[in-house]
């Protein structure tokens, strides 16, 4: 029943499984059909075990997809999808389906990094505060530009399971391109902390809104500055400028408890990261 998570923020997959050879994909923004947005293509990318090139088509058009398993994405300069469905095609590609798929979209913005700011193997990860979705891009010798929702986000640089840098919340406007600034050095004795908890997916509807999480250290119990709860099966908390040192995680809930005690270090002038065992029910 218990699962473990790496410190890397995990992508939330909203699975929308369909079975047909041809499909129509519609785009919805706040309940409005925006399938006619210019310069927009729906991309069906083969997943493991499926051969062949990606299939592209215009939104709202009937798209012929060969047999296999595909991930659906969107290529559009002004919109970013909130759904990341899988598509299973197991019938002849010339039989149109009467049921379409709907992708929820929001206006897009971009965060950017100049070249050589972080070592090879680093990954820029941006979390959408409202949905809990993560958007990722490798960081290398070239300039990095990552398309994300145009609203409140949190950005971090990961390398393996360590956080090299973390920015406080950014509020982005549609079409904006925001260069991630150099963060000033943290004062001695201060730290940031990121904690992620998973709830059992089997037999539950999540539970991250039913808990209160605090970091306890040196006689203080601090709640997070930001708690992201858009994914019901994941709770992610961000603490900024807290006293450095070792502490523990305390979860208050009538229905959930930690699988095991969680000792966490907030490193001096750095960002700590913890993903303790997923929360487990206190009752059967």
């Amino acid at each position: 029943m218990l699962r473990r998570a790496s410190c890397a923020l995990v992508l939330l997959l909203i699975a929308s499984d369909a079975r047909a050879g041809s499909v129509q994909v519609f785009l919805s923004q706040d309940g409005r059909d925006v399938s006619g947005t210019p310069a927009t293509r729906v991309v069906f990318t083969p997943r493991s075990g499926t051969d062949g090139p990606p299939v592209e088509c215009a939104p709202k058009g009937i798209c012929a997809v060969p047999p296999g398993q595909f991930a659906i994405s969107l290529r559009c300069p002004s919109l970013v999808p909130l759904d990341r469905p899988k598509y299973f095609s197991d019938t002849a590609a010339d039989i149109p389906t009467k049921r379409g798929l709907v992708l929820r979209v929001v206006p897009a913005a971009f965060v950017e990094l100049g070249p050589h700011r972080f070592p090879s193997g680093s990954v820029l990860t941006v979390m959408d505060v409202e949905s809990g979705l993560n958007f990722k891009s490798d960081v290398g010798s070239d300039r990095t530009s990552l398309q994300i929702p145009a609203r409140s986000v949190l950005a971090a640089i990961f390398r393996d399971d360590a956080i090299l840098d973390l920015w406080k919340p950014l509020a982005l406007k549609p079409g904006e391109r925001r260069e991630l600034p150099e963060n000033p050095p943290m004062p001695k004795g201060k730290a940031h902390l990121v904690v992620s908890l998973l709830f059992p997916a089997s037999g539950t509807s999540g539970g991250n809104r039913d808990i209160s999480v605090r970091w306890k250290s040196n006689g203080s119990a601090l709640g997070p500055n930001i708690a992201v709860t858009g994914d019901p099966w994941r709770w992610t908390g961000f603490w900024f400028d807290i006293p450095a040192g070792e502490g523990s995680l305390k979860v208050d809930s009538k229905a959930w408890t930690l699988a095991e005690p969680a000792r966490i270090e907030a490193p001096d002038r750095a960002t700590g990261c913890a993903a303790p065992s997923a929360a487990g029910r206190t009752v059967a």
Side-chain angles (χ1 to χ4, degrees):
M1 182 175 185
L2 301 180
R3 298 166 57 192
R4 301 194 66 87
S6 71
C7 278
L9 300 179
V10 179
L11 292 172
L12 165 66
L13 296 180
I14 303 177
S16 176
D17 298 339
R19 295 181 177 273
S22 297
V23 64
Q24 287 177 286
V25 178
F26 299 85
L27 307 182
S28 175
Q29 180 182 338
D30 296 326
R32 296 181 293 110
D33 183 2
V34 293
S35 303
T37 302
T40 302
R41 304 289 287 177
V42 178
V43 182
F44 293 77
T45 302
R47 292 168 60 89
S48 178
T50 300
D51 297 326
V55 176
E56 296 189 12
C57 58
K60 216 169 187 176
I62 294 179
C63 193
V65 182
Q69 183 176 350
F70 298 83
I72 301 177
S73 59
L74 192 67
R75 192 170 72 242
C76 177
S78 61
L79 298 174
V80 62
L82 297 180
D83 297 321
R84 295 162 176 171
K86 300 186 296 289
Y87 179 77
F88 297 91
S89 177
D90 60 4
T91 62
D94 59 350
I95 302 176
T97 179
K98 294 182 180 179
R99 184 182 66 175
L101 296 179
V102 177
L103 295 183
R104 295 170 300 145
V105 296
V106 293
F110 294 83
V111 290
E112 300 184 334
L113 283 171
H116 304 294
R117 282 186 57 181
F118 295 95
S120 176
S122 300
V123 178
L124 170 62
T125 301
V126 177
M127 175 177 277
D128 174 35
V129 172
E130 185 172 333
S131 69
L133 281 171
N134 292 301
F135 299 80
K136 296 186 177 185
S137 178
D138 292 336
V139 175
S141 58
D142 297 327
R143 186 170 184 79
T144 302
S145 182
L146 178 61
Q147 187 184 45
I148 58 172
R151 51 195 189 187
S152 180
V153 299
L154 289 151
I157 298 292
F158 282 85
R159 191 164 187 260
D160 298 324
D161 281 349
I163 298 179
L164 303 185
D165 212 345
L166 174 68
W167 286 265
K168 293 181 180 180
L170 306 168
L172 300 171
K173 298 178 181 179
E176 181 180 359
R177 290 183 176 271
R178 178 81 62 90
E179 180 84 16
L180 291 174
E182 296 278 354
N183 279 320
M186 274 187 276
K188 182 176 176 59
K190 293 294 185 179
H192 300 331
L193 182 64
V194 180
V195 173
S196 187
L197 296 175
L198 283 176
F199 292 82
S202 178
T204 78
S205 57
N208 59 18
R209 299 180 187 273
D210 302 323
I211 63 172
S212 173
V213 182
R214 290 176 293 168
W215 182 72
K216 299 180 65 176
S217 178
N218 298 321
S220 298
L222 303 175
N225 297 98
I226 295 177
V228 179
T229 59
D231 174 3
W233 290 273
R234 175 175 292 276
W235 182 97
T236 304
F238 295 82
W239 286 259
F240 296 101
D241 301 317
I242 60 176
E246 188 175 81
S248 62
L249 199 66
K250 179 172 176 56
V251 174
D252 292 321
S253 174
K254 294 181 179 179
W256 301 93
T257 186
L258 287 176
E260 57 190 31
R263 299 293 298 176
I264 298 173
E265 182 181 3
D268 188 26
R269 289 173 287 188
T271 299
C273 178
S277 296
R281 288 184 185 274
T282 59
V283 295

